[in-house]
Amino acid sequence: YENDFFMLQANYLRKSEKEEIYCGIKRGDKKQLKRNKKAYKKFSEHIGLLPLVIVSPADSSLITGGSEERRKFTDGVISQYDRNYLTNLLRYNKALAQRNALLKDFARHHKFDREMLEIWDEQLHVLAQKIFKARQQFIQELQVIFQKYYSFISSKKEQVELKYKSQLFDNQMKSLLNETLEKDRILQYTSSGVHKDDLLMSMQGVPMKKSGSQGQQKTYLLALKMAQFEFIKRVSGLNPILLLDDLFDKLDQSRVNQIVQLVAEDTFGQIFITDTNPERLSRILEPLDIDYKIFTINQDS
């Protein structure tokens, strides 16, 4: 804090090849991101190179927050293995911003030009269909893996659901834009499309944020992230790095035991676990037949 410069640097092994990643920034300058001493032209080029999955307390926003948080999760996973998806998503967001700017300009100058709007409508239509198809396929495959992990961690105590919600299940994007045109002109932004998609998270048919205890919600999130790990591993052939932040808080002993049994398997490769209780962490790790090291971080480190 309060310094003019910072840097992060790390060495990785990726498919037996060494990778050196550098990130640094000087006050007032743009961030620099380099791979093997060569700067990226675009930050998006780095996405998916070294996949990782993080489970942290901040993930609670996936359940308690708005749909934007859940779309961000979906987009983040797909973008790690599908470069075309990321390109389509960036183009869609750019076209959406242009259409919204045009709607505001029409309202400001009390005019309307349908042909100008249709230029962006056509782009949004083509890109939305591709994004929808990729999200639909991803959630279909993720659901099966997610159910497996939730059942294991909870010892089959609850029934949960994960569903993809999109307006494009019932309509083409172009039809939606035509139907909501007058509404969009009044609101001065685009009110329909894949940027309104959501993930429905429930337990026994009731939204998870209403029916789930803190432990059940954490189990749900952990199962979701474990499913994300397995899915990325399947499609990329790479073992993501697994980061587990404050993992054991709000979980009963039964679920802690199940999680420890799970991550102790060879499936997960390199794992980092943070915990504010070093005695608890040692007690959990000692009985396991695995190699591990404990690092203590204090305020002066």
Side-chain angles (χ1 to χ4, degrees):
Y1 293 102
E2 307 303 325
N3 287 303
D4 293 328
F5 177 82
F6 86 82
M7 60 167 280
L8 296 170
Q9 191 165 338
N11 296 310
Y12 299 86
L13 275 178
R14 182 183 184 274
K15 295 184 177 179
S16 302
E17 296 288 329
K18 290 183 178 179
E19 298 279 356
E20 182 185 284
I21 305 298
Y22 165 92
C23 178
I25 187 168
K26 291 180 181 178
R27 190 182 297 278
D29 287 348
K30 290 183 178 180
K31 189 185 298 178
Q32 267 201 332
L33 188 62
K34 296 180 180 179
R35 176 185 177 189
N36 300 326
K37 296 183 171 61
K38 291 183 180 179
Y40 285 104
K41 292 180 181 178
K42 298 178 181 176
F43 287 168
S44 60
E45 294 174 4
H46 183 71
I47 295 174
L49 177 74
L50 301 161
L52 66 84
V53 174
I54 180 168
V55 182
S56 81
D59 291 325
S60 62
S61 63
L62 280 172
I63 291 177
T64 60
S67 60
E68 184 180 356
E69 295 292 333
R70 292 179 283 277
R71 284 194 302 274
K72 193 183 297 182
F73 165 76
T74 304
D75 294 338
V77 179
I78 302 174
S79 296
Q80 286 198 57
Y81 66 85
D82 188 339
R83 185 69 59 184
N84 289 331
Y85 179 84
L86 179 59
T87 300
N88 290 333
L89 186 65
L90 292 173
R91 287 176 177 170
Y92 179 92
N93 289 335
K94 187 175 181 180
L96 181 66
Q98 293 288 351
R99 188 181 193 269
N100 289 343
L102 203 55
L103 289 167
K104 285 184 173 63
D105 188 67
F106 289 158
R108 188 163 51 247
H109 294 97
H110 305 288
K111 65 176 184 176
F112 181 68
D113 188 331
R114 184 64 183 267
E115 287 186 5
M116 286 181 68
L117 208 62
E118 283 179 350
I119 294 171
W120 302 114
D121 286 6
E122 184 61 34
Q123 289 191 37
L124 289 171
H125 171 74
V126 173
L127 294 166
Q129 298 304 134
K130 293 178 180 179
I131 292 168
F132 170 69
K133 186 176 180 180
R135 286 177 179 172
Q136 187 180 17
Q137 184 178 350
F138 164 63
I139 298 300
Q140 281 178 346
E141 295 182 35
L142 190 75
Q143 281 174 333
V144 179
I145 315 171
F146 162 75
Q147 290 288 355
K148 177 187 74 174
Y149 280 113
Y150 193 96
S151 180
F152 179 84
I153 297 169
S154 68
S155 302
K156 301 181 180 179
K157 288 179 180 176
E158 304 107 20
Q159 294 294 318
V160 292
E161 289 181 313
L162 174 67
K163 289 184 178 180
Y164 175 36
K165 178 185 177 184
S166 177
Q167 296 168 319
L168 269 71
F169 276 113
D170 302 315
N171 294 282
Q172 295 281 310
M173 183 69 182
K174 193 174 288 187
S175 300
L176 285 170
L177 293 173
N178 287 332
E179 288 173 12
T180 59
L181 178 58
E182 290 308 312
K183 179 182 177 182
D184 292 353
R185 289 182 64 183
I186 295 169
L187 296 174
Q188 298 177 39
Y189 65 82
T190 307
S191 61
S192 59
V194 291
H195 57 287
K196 297 293 184 179
D197 286 358
D198 202 353
L199 291 178
L200 303 180
M201 302 175 172
S202 60
M203 183 173 68
Q204 265 84 271
V206 182
M208 197 71 195
K209 66 179 177 182
K210 291 184 179 179
S211 62
S213 67
Q214 288 183 320
Q216 288 166 335
Q217 289 185 8
K218 189 154 190 176
T219 303
Y220 194 103
L221 291 168
L222 188 59
L224 190 63
K225 293 304 185 83
M226 292 298 181
Q228 174 189 349
F229 180 100
E230 186 172 322
F231 185 87
I232 292 174
K233 184 177 179 178
R234 283 185 190 179
V235 297
S236 70
L238 296 169
N239 242 352
I241 296 170
L242 185 58
L243 309 176
L244 305 173
D245 182 19
D246 201 14
L247 176 64
F248 306 114
D249 187 45
K250 297 182 177 67
L251 293 173
D252 59 46
Q253 193 58 47
S254 169
R255 296 185 191 224
V256 169
N257 293 340
Q258 292 294 91
I259 292 165
V260 170
Q261 183 181 334
L262 191 63
V263 299
E265 296 174 359
D266 293 335
T267 309
F268 291 100
Q270 190 172 28
I271 304 172
F272 292 86
I273 302 174
T274 63
D275 199 290
T276 55
N277 188 331
E279 291 79 16
R280 174 174 59 186
L281 195 58
S282 297
R283 190 170 61 250
I284 290 169
L285 295 175
E286 278 174 5
L288 303 176
D289 185 23
I290 55 172
D291 292 328
Y292 69 89
K293 290 182 180 178
I294 293 182
F295 300 88
T296 302
I297 308 297
N298 58 47
Q299 196 168 1
D300 299 323
S301 296

